[in-house]
Amino acid sequence: MAGMVEPLALYIHWPFCLSKCPYCDFNSHVRERIDQGRFAAALLAELRFEAERVGRRPLASIFFGGGTPSLMAPETAAALIAEAFALFDPLPGCEVTLEANPTSVEAAKLREFRAAGVNRLSLGVQSLDAAALAFLGRRHSAGEAVAALETGREIFPRLSFDLIYARPGQAEAAWRAEVRQALTLAADHLSLYQLTIEPGTKFATEHARGAFALPGDDEAAALYAATVEEAAGFGLAPYEVSNYAQPGAESRHNLAYWRYGDYLGIGPGAHQRLLLGGEMLAFRRHRAPEEWAGLVEAQGHGVTGCETLTPQDRAREALLMGLRLAEGVDPARVAVRAGMPMAAALDGEMVRACEEAGYLEWQGGRLCATAEGRMRLDAMLPRILR
Amino acid sequence: MTDTPLHLIRNFSIIAHIDHGKSTLADRLIQTTGTVAARDMKEQLLDNMEIERERGITIKAQTVRIDYPAKDGNTYVLNLMDTPGHVDFAYEVSRSLAACEGSLLVVDASQGVEAQTLANVYQAMDANHEIVPVLNKIDLPAAEPDRVKQQIEDVIGLDASDAVMISAKTGLNIEGVLEAIVTRLPPPTGDASKTLTALLVDSWYDAYLGVVVLVRVRDGHLKKGMKVRMMSNGATHTVEQVGVFRPKMVQVEALGPGEMGYITAAIKTVADTNVGDTVTDERNPATVALPGFKPSIPVVWCGLYPVDADDFEKLRESLGKLRLNDSSFHFEAEHSAALGMGYRCGFLGLLHLEIVQERLSREFDLDLIATAPSVVYKIRRTNGTLEELHNPADMPDPSLIEEIEEPWIKATIMVPDEYLGSILTLCSERRGQQVELTYVGSRAMAVYRLPLNEVVFDFYDRLKSVSRGYASFDYSIDGYEAGDLVKIGILVNAEPVDALSFMAHRSQADRRGRSICEKLKELIPRQLFKIPIQAAIGGRVIARETISAMSKDVTAKCYGGDISRKRKLLDKQKEGKKRMRQFGKVEIPQSAFIAALKMDA
């Protein structure tokens, strides 16, 4: 790996939504009117600024996330894709993903996004159950979701969608039925997330108040096991904690995060990791859309902070991301990305204890969390990291 | 105001169960005689310490001198001795009683006689006291004075026909109490011409005066400026102040025979002033000390550890300060693998333990963990040597032990008939031997011999719960006996946790071992690995529980924008690990230990 030029992953953040979902803690904002032109221009400007900083590099993927990027004008997406392809060297089959919600309004624009260069669609379906969709504050119906999935599969070469499980009172049998239905509609990729209560969300307030209770750890574990089993029945393997794909259909863009690769992040609040001149730089951008745009207009970029990460921090990040993957981590790659030997970042005794417990294993020189280990990763990390 | 003729002095104490009105009556006596100006009156004048006031118990003996112009035209000096009202301080009580000639037995006219009253009244009888029964709270609708009088006669064998009927709360017939003191209690005896002998009743530390010593003069005079000698240890001191309590300290020139008061003599710590000692004249010492002196010996020990290891030094200082004023409690440094540096502390009993612990947290702002209380065992080794064991963790290898002796108590339990069955079951579960079972009206009185160890372990709580709070309980130490005792060690993840080990009778070992394993299973949160918890006698496991591994703990969504936050969270978690106790690959939050120990105490 050393000596090879690290390809780039480009993340573009569209910070607006029609409404805020009660579980979501992402950087999303609801506005009555959005100045599409201003944000398109600011995103393009920031993209050019970052291209200047990193220089010409192979580009492996683009990901439009949010927010709800399907609310973006398709021509903005087109302009950004064209600009990125001009500034960098897109690799063959460069993956261009767009997140979309399955409302009919957005579904209507899908063909235009395809024409703009998007080749992978990620639909925020969340559930195929009407009551669950209401609980989750979604603006689409189950019927719309199914229709959007069908349209999406026709239009895009690749398609993924999200579901949220371990909802209040959700029985294993009901979830198995729901996920099985989803799998029949799926193409080659699915993201299946356990519902988590994030601080600062509407759910956090309601949950603290006792408005609803989540399944306990044992139930959540059983639901997870059921999920893995059902997905396997349709040939989808959990290549990451919450992501399932047919071999080769993994999200290339997200793999860049988990493999601790270089990624640019433009748009409000977007994060960025770049290894430049032997230093790992972590950038933060202004989270408020208008302020961010103002900064870009004034200085060419919306960066509000840049931290040079220590080798220890880099090793921790590489491991906390890498061990989420079934493929695990390659010590040689971690050493390159962290600037220190992987073994020096780990507590050898605890690693052995985790191996004995069946949570970690070595596979062809790679350190991998087993299925059992991945389910307990958050508890394992503080123990195995020095 | 000294050298009062003996026939005009009355020294008396008040015997009462908690809440039967002792402190209120004392307040009224002080108030009625104008000893304290009305504007200076506050509730429970004699109970100085905050804890004493809150709990309505007296820890230190105190006196108050009252001038009472009686109906016979004489003005009497009445010395009220307020005694510690708990079995833990039985020896201190006996010394206070030895300083008086008579007692008022105060009984709640609706509640009747309680176990604690009995023990104290017997002590007063042992001290040859004249006893005047006083029925309090006779104004309450539930009062049954005739029934209670009968009970006093039946249970105690005291003639209660002339019992003084009062309401301390409303002040009803306080005069009657004062007259009874003068007419029915005997005056003290003593000889002013003999050399000084004075009983050391109690002592406490005062930041300005040094140790204040409470004394009762038997013979001779105690004067300011004289050199006195403590007969138990030969220490000499020059008397700086002589005085009486009204109840504030008032200096006098001298105290004569029969009188009560205090001296100060630049004494640094109460450890130099032993309760029960005899104070005599250094230049002309008495040859025979007053009878009854016993050094105080702790019967219950436990480890006290600071929750925050940085507080160890503060704990040391605080214990030192407490001991300035309480020589009956002992401490020595010890180290526990689970809890770090701390002290093994010895107490007169469970209440004493609780009071010291509470004072440490309240007056010295210390957050403490207390290990399970343990009694003092006597261990006879196979090589013939005898040693005392204060901490189960220090027990020698069983192969080196010939025999282990444990302390026994004689317990008196009074309980309404309907709960007697459960009480008897409880006592026999705790290896009790019935000595006596009698009925007093609808109340039963059970006298049992019990191993102290069985009482230290949650006996009092169980007693209260099986009797719905109606049982009253008192005990006295009743010698040592050999028993089939074993040390039960607790292993977490196969490693012994010294702070949790305890002694038990072999017949109780399985049950106790199982119970603590079950508790720990509930208290220790599930972790990355499964954790075996075992109770073992030596190498033999007698109980086992397993805390299963946590089933799921992983962030569902983790992408490029989450990485900084996740890393910082990880740093925080690593920091949090420092507050955990490490048991091999298992970390146990200190809070789990604290909870386990609390449940056991």
Side-chain angles (χ1 to χ4, degrees), chain A residues 101-374:
Chain A
N101 279 338
T103 62
S104 46
V105 185
E106 290 155 74
K109 286 154 74 182
L110 291 181
R111 274 176 211 287
E112 291 173 75
F113 282 115
R114 176 71 189 101
V118 173
N119 55 24
R120 184 172 177 273
L121 186 70
S122 173
L123 275 173
V125 170
Q126 316 308 3
S127 174
L128 295 171
D129 175 81
L133 286 169
F135 171 72
L136 294 168
R138 304 297 292 174
R139 295 170 72 106
H140 62 265
S141 66
E144 280 178 309
V146 173
L149 282 173
E150 279 161 0
T151 315
R153 285 177 69 165
E154 275 169 32
I155 298 172
F156 295 93
R158 297 171 64 197
L159 172 104
S160 176
F161 64 93
D162 301 353
L163 292 181
I164 297 176
Y165 70 95
R167 306 184 299 250
Q170 188 175 33
E172 188 187 316
W175 167 239
R176 278 186 189 267
E178 186 177 346
V179 77
R180 220 172 289 149
Q181 189 196 348
L183 284 158
T184 58
L185 295 162
D188 53 5
H189 193 282
L190 270 180
S191 299
L192 303 169
Y193 299 111
Q194 180 183 337
L195 175 59
T196 358
I197 304 301
E198 302 294 346
T201 60
K202 191 173 162 216
F203 269 2
T205 319
E206 291 180 355
H207 186 250
R209 183 157 54 79
F212 61 84
L214 294 178
D217 289 352
D218 289 343
E219 290 162 277
L223 288 170
Y224 185 74
T227 310
V228 172
E229 201 180 293
E230 294 296 337
F234 286 79
L236 300 189
Y239 69 99
E240 192 263 354
V241 172
S242 303
N243 284 279
Y244 300 76
Q246 283 175 6
E250 299 87 0
S251 162
R252 228 168 288 168
H253 182 83
N254 289 335
L255 278 175
Y257 298 142
W258 295 319
R259 288 172 177 164
Y260 203 43
D262 281 347
Y263 56 94
L264 293 181
I266 65 167
H271 286 248
Q272 179 165 310
R273 287 287 183 283
L274 275 179
L275 189 54
L276 281 179
E279 291 197 325
M280 184 64 81
L281 303 174
F283 295 82
R284 277 191 316 277
R285 294 180 148 77
H286 205 298
R287 283 172 66 85
E290 291 75 14
E291 281 77 357
W292 166 83
L295 284 177
V296 177
E297 285 153 9
Q299 61 186 30
H301 63 86
V303 174
T304 54
C306 172
E307 190 190 347
T308 306
L309 300 180
T310 65
Q312 201 76 33
D313 285 343
R314 289 154 65 180
R316 286 185 182 187
E317 291 193 342
L319 284 158
L320 82 86
M321 293 306 265
L323 290 174
R324 295 181 66 85
L325 291 171
E327 67 179 30
V329 291
D330 170 11
R333 171 156 175 93
V334 172
V336 170
R337 301 300 294 172
M340 66 181 280
M342 182 173 96
L346 290 168
D347 178 336
E349 211 171 300
M350 283 310 301
V351 170
R352 272 188 297 280
C354 288
E355 286 178 60
E356 275 166 33
Y359 296 153
L360 287 175
E361 63 186 7
W362 292 90
Q363 278 184 10
R366 301 176 71 92
L367 180 64
C368 308
T370 62
E372 290 293 310
R374 283 202 300 278

Side-chain angles (χ1 to χ4, degrees), chain A residues 193-194 217-218 242-243 257-258 263 273 309 316-317 324 359 375-379 382-383 385, chain B residues 526 528 550-560 563-564 566-567 570-571 574 577 585 587:
Chain A
Y193 299 111
Q194 180 183 337
D217 289 352
D218 289 343
S242 303
N243 284 279
Y257 298 142
W258 295 319
Y263 56 94
R273 287 287 183 283
L309 300 180
R316 286 185 182 187
E317 291 193 342
R324 295 181 66 85
Y359 296 153
M375 273 168 72
R376 300 165 173 92
L377 190 60
D378 287 8
R383 308 298 304 274
L385 290 173
Chain B
R526 291 207 284 180
L528 185 58
M550 60 169 53
S551 46
K552 191 166 191 281
D553 181 15
V554 60
T555 308
K557 288 188 185 188
C558 191
Y559 297 99
I563 182 166
S564 300
K566 279 291 289 176
R567 170 171 49 81
L570 203 56
D571 293 346
K574 289 194 71 67
K577 276 173 58 175
K585 58 184 182 175
E587 282 149 352

Side-chain angles (χ1 to χ4, degrees), chain B residues 426 455 458-466 599 601:
Chain B
L426 175 65
V455 175
D458 83 353
F459 180 80
Y460 195 64
D461 289 344
R462 295 274 300 127
L463 185 82
K464 286 287 169 193
S465 90
V466 300
M599 288 174 71

Side-chain angles (χ1 to χ4, degrees), chain B residues 163-392:
Chain B
V164 188
M165 314 283 267
I166 66 160
S167 167
K169 198 175 170 196
T170 65
L172 176 73
N173 200 22
I174 299 304
E175 198 69 26
V177 177
L178 288 162
E179 279 300 315
I181 292 168
V182 168
T183 57
R184 291 166 63 181
L185 299 184
T189 55
D191 188 342
S193 63
K194 285 191 179 169
T195 190
L196 170 72
T197 47
L199 177 66
L200 198 161
V201 177
D202 208 346
S203 64
W204 56 88
Y205 184 79
D206 181 286
Y208 299 104
L209 302 171
V211 175
V212 177
V213 182
L214 181 58
V215 291
R216 154 69 201 275
V217 178
R218 190 67 60 180
D219 294 318
H221 283 87
L222 190 48
K223 295 190 192 105
K224 186 172 169 175
M226 78 188 284
K227 230 174 174 188
V228 292
R229 176 193 289 189
M230 304 297 183
M231 289 185 74
S232 74
N233 57 14
T236 59
H237 306 277
T238 303
V239 176
E240 289 183 344
Q241 273 191 29
V242 179
V244 295
F245 297 94
R246 307 189 60 93
K248 281 185 186 153
M249 296 167 92
V250 176
Q251 290 199 46
V252 297
E253 277 306 305
L255 292 170
E259 293 199 279
M260 280 188 195
Y262 71 87
I263 57 168
T264 65
I267 303 169
K268 297 283 185 299
T269 145
V270 295
D272 297 334
T273 53
N274 298 308
V275 170
D277 204 349
T278 302
V279 183
T280 190
D281 186 348
E282 161 70 1
R283 286 180 306 180
N284 180 21
T287 46
V288 182
L290 298 171
F293 174 73
K294 273 196 293 184
S296 81
I297 299 162
V299 292
V300 175
W301 290 77
C302 80
L304 291 180
Y305 292 84
V307 167
D308 182 347
D310 295 343
D311 279 346
F312 176 70
E313 194 52 30
K314 193 174 163 194
L315 175 60
R316 191 183 60 79
E317 274 170 31
S318 307
L319 289 169
K321 280 186 190 159
L322 268 190
R323 184 156 161 85
L324 279 180
N325 204 13
D326 183 355
S327 57
S328 56
F329 119 85
H330 295 244
F331 65 99
E332 54 212 36
E334 72 172 3
H335 180 264
S336 149
L339 303 170
M341 287 297 291
Y343 284 95
R344 181 124 293 245
C345 302
F347 307 90
L348 296 176
L350 286 175
L351 179 76
H352 189 212
L353 181 159
E354 215 177 301
I355 287 168
V356 169
Q357 220 181 309
E358 201 168 320
R359 288 187 64 188
L360 285 169
S361 71
R362 199 182 293 203
E363 293 167 33
F364 299 96
D365 195 26
L366 278 164
D367 219 352
L368 295 177
I369 311 167
T371 63
S374 164
V375 301
V376 177
Y377 296 94
K378 289 183 179 165
I379 294 191
R380 190 180 306 282
R381 292 197 183 229
T382 45
N383 66 10
T385 58
L386 188 72
E387 62 193 64
E388 288 195 345
L389 179 75
H390 294 172
N391 184 352

